[in-house]
Amino acid sequence: RRRAMVRTRSKKDCSVRCSSWNVAAVNNNPFEYWVSSPANQYDELMQFVQQFVCDKNRDVLVSQIFTEQMFSDLMVELEEMNVGSLDKVSSYWNDDYKKRPAIAGFLKDKALGTKRLTSMPDRITNTINLADCSLCTRPSAISSYQGPSIGSIEKWWPQWKHFMFHHEVVIFGKGDKSKSQLVCRLLSPILRSKYPAITVEEQEISVQLQILCLAILDAIFIYILSSAESISWEDVKKTLCDSLIFNKAAKTCQVIAQSYAETDVFFIQEAAAIFVQKATENETLSAKYAIVKPKNIDGKRNQNSLIMLDRHIFVTSSVVDITQDVQDSLDGIFITAGDLLAVTVRDCVGRGWLLVSFHGDSNGLSTQPVLKAIGELTQAQFADHRLLCGLDANTHSAPPDNSYHSVDSFCPFLEENGLVSIWGSPPDPSVRTAFSCRTYLQTQLN
């Protein structure tokens, strides 16, 4: 995948120093990527997991891990939620999920991946930023959960049920609108308009299926890790969390303050709502930058686009949010709240700027429509402004099929719309800006 920054061509000198960074606030799985870790037994544990997943002889049916009794427990909780359609949920369990091989048929199933039935609920419930600035984490091998041991399925399951169905939270970022709600109520339906792989029936019961699939997923990971009898995987995880997860927003701010001190405009994507507060608390950042955030910053998904403006370069009181204008011109193209932030602003010498921070969908298919809408809006209403976009465009150098946006198709689009990438004209597809060195302990194994 590639990130991109694009600007309009201009003969006038309109240079500013820019950076764009997808800070991936929602990536709170300490095991997701291979790392160089000082933790004892880390390499041994990760190699064990890889060998386990690749050994077909160790695969068992889902029902041998997530048992019939556990499914019955889950159904009781879903009934208490009063979500309905439990007969359909039972059919998915009895006719499909429980009969699947846990690894080959569930962890590696591409359909579950494209439908987001495991990754979406994990994203929402893995790590929840609370209104009091503390964190609430799901009892899971792939979260930073630090409560009582979940070293076996017997220890894990009661804690998971309590967290999902009986633990109330007040999420960060809603201000006075914050209200206490059960974790399970944070989940929203998965819509075919954004994820067309999901069927009409699955969309109808997608909240219930997300809960069921997440329970199965977490159970499988506990099963795999607990099979490494000579390795204390919970100790390894704690060491990783200390380095990678805890105080993540504050550490991100520290990196920006120390390594990007000369940047005039900093585009941020996938920031947690709490990032704004941590940036404000950082003396270096708060002195230099005004932080522009979405009108309705999302503290649940925590995938917000932000723009940081140097107070000495820009007249921050002149900022006008035009995000809704862009969204209104998208002609039905669906983008998730928080992914896009578009503003106009004047600099200290009176020049107008149209600045955009945008995080595209994983396949990159929304990038061109959004940029096209921004370009048309610029021509129609802001022709005297200089357009500058910081994007996580998610264009792929070697897309597996036409459901992914390729660099090769992005290049002529830029040319046709008078846009220039910082990666050259045209950008070289072999120059990659992101690599997915993922382990076997993550929701996108499929």
Side-chain angles (χ1 to χ4, degrees):
R1 297 182 300 173
R2 296 172 61 88
R3 288 157 174 74
M5 283 204 300
V6 296
R7 60 177 173 80
T8 52
R9 291 188 178 94
S10 175
K11 295 180 180 179
K12 298 180 180 180
D13 178 16
C14 59
S15 61
V16 292
R17 292 163 293 192
C18 307
S19 298
S20 185
W21 187 8
N22 181 333
V23 298
V26 294
N27 286 13
N28 289 301
N29 172 7
F31 288 118
E32 183 163 0
Y33 296 97
W34 277 96
V35 299
S36 297
S37 173
N40 293 331
Q41 298 186 312
Y42 171 78
D43 288 344
E44 183 182 352
L45 176 63
M46 302 314 294
Q47 289 169 9
F48 170 84
V49 171
Q50 181 168 333
Q51 291 167 1
F52 190 105
V53 170
C54 294
D55 185 353
K56 296 180 181 179
N57 294 323
R58 304 197 73 160
D59 206 352
V60 298
L61 294 179
V62 165
S63 60
Q64 293 178 256
I65 300 173
F66 190 80
T67 64
E68 290 285 359
Q69 181 58 57
M70 295 166 72
F71 176 73
S72 296
D73 294 344
L74 193 73
M75 290 295 283
V76 170
E77 301 290 359
L78 290 175
E79 188 170 7
E80 287 294 318
M81 282 183 68
N82 195 30
V83 289
S85 300
L86 296 187
D87 55 332
K88 294 181 180 178
V89 178
S90 293
S91 294
Y92 273 89
W93 167 254
N94 290 312
D95 300 338
D96 186 1
Y97 294 156
K98 78 175 187 179
K99 298 177 180 179
R100 297 187 180 200
I103 295 172
F106 196 88
L107 288 187
K108 293 184 177 182
D109 179 48
K110 292 185 180 297
L112 285 178
T114 55
K115 294 173 182 180
R116 299 297 193 267
L117 288 171
T118 55
S119 59
M120 187 64 73
D122 171 66
R123 176 176 293 178
I124 298 300
T125 66
N126 184 296
T127 303
I128 303 169
N129 289 286
L130 302 179
D132 64 1
C133 297
S134 63
L135 296 177
C136 178
T137 54
R138 189 178 79 250
S140 171
I142 59 171
S143 76
S144 59
Y145 180 72
Q146 298 290 301
S149 173
I150 53 172
S152 66
I153 288 180
E154 292 73 23
K155 294 178 179 178
W156 160 80
W157 180 232
Q159 296 183 63
W160 194 96
K161 286 189 298 181
H162 182 270
F163 172 83
M164 288 295 294
F165 299 108
H166 302 282
H167 187 68
E168 294 191 348
V169 296
V170 181
I171 62 175
F172 184 90
K174 294 296 184 181
D176 294 336
K177 296 181 180 180
S178 297
K179 63 179 182 179
S180 179
Q181 54 190 322
L182 295 172
V183 171
C184 59
R185 298 292 185 186
L186 298 177
L187 299 179
S188 301
I190 297 176
L191 304 178
R192 280 174 53 81
S193 57
K194 185 167 186 181
Y195 302 104
I198 201 162
T199 67
V200 173
E201 182 178 73
E202 287 169 336
Q203 174 180 283
E204 181 184 321
I205 58 170
S206 57
V207 169
Q208 299 93 308
L209 291 183
Q210 286 178 75
I211 293 173
L212 172 58
C213 289
L214 184 63
I216 295 171
L217 179 85
D218 279 338
I220 293 172
F221 284 144
I222 296 292
Y223 172 77
I224 293 172
L225 288 167
S226 63
S227 299
E229 297 177 354
S230 63
I231 304 173
S232 177
W233 68 267
E234 290 182 288
D235 289 342
V236 173
K237 189 180 87 161
K238 183 179 185 306
T239 301
L240 292 174
C241 289
D242 289 340
S243 299
L244 302 174
I245 307 299
F246 299 143
N247 298 315
K248 184 176 182 178
K251 290 176 181 177
T252 301
C253 291
Q254 187 175 8
V255 170
I256 295 173
Q258 292 178 349
S259 301
Y260 297 91
E262 300 301 315
T263 298
D264 302 322
V265 183
F266 208 118
F267 299 97
I268 301 287
Q269 299 89 38
E270 291 202 39
I274 201 171
F275 177 90
V276 177
Q277 177 174 319
K278 294 302 179 182
T280 303
E281 292 172 355
N282 184 293
E283 292 183 3
T284 300
L285 294 185
S286 61
K288 180 178 175 66
Y289 293 110
I291 303 172
V292 185
K293 61 183 180 180
K295 290 181 179 179
N296 297 309
I297 194 163
D298 190 342
K300 185 171 71 173
R301 287 180 67 248
N302 278 320
Q303 290 181 285
N304 298 285
S305 292
L306 310 172
I307 302 174
M308 300 169 63
L309 300 175
D310 190 326
R311 301 177 189 274
H312 301 95
I313 304 296
F314 295 94
V315 181
T316 57
S317 61
S318 70
V319 170
V320 177
D321 190 326
I322 61 167
T323 306
Q324 191 60 52
D325 295 332
V326 178
Q327 291 179 323
D328 290 344
S329 64
L330 280 174
D331 193 27
I333 300 298
F334 183 87
I335 59 172
T336 305
D339 285 346
L340 173 68
L341 176 63
V343 303
T344 59
V345 65
R346 293 281 172 181
D347 62 24
C348 292
V349 295
R351 297 175 300 190
W353 294 81
L354 200 166
L355 306 176
V356 179
S357 183
F358 176 64
H359 163 240
D361 60 293
S362 298
N363 292 14
L365 298 180
S366 63
T367 299
Q368 283 195 24
V370 169
L371 280 179
K372 186 172 179 62
I374 291 168
E376 291 174 350
L377 185 65
T378 302
Q379 292 179 2
Q381 300 184 33
F382 304 102
D384 61 336
H385 285 54
R386 292 157 177 81
L387 172 62
L388 183 63
C389 306
L391 313 174
D392 180 356
N394 274 330
T395 52
H396 297 248
S397 58
D401 53 56
N402 59 9
S403 65
Y404 292 80
H405 187 198
S406 70
V407 178
D408 288 338
S409 65
F410 193 42
C411 293
F413 168 83
L414 295 177
E415 183 70 23
E416 292 166 6
N417 288 272
L419 299 171
V420 179
S421 168
I422 62 168
W423 298 104
S425 185
D428 181 356
S430 68
V431 181
R432 298 178 176 88
T433 59
F435 292 86
S436 296
C437 191
R438 284 191 166 102
T439 72
Y440 284 80
L441 286 173
Q442 43 88 19
T443 61
Q444 298 187 54
L445 182 59
N446 44 41

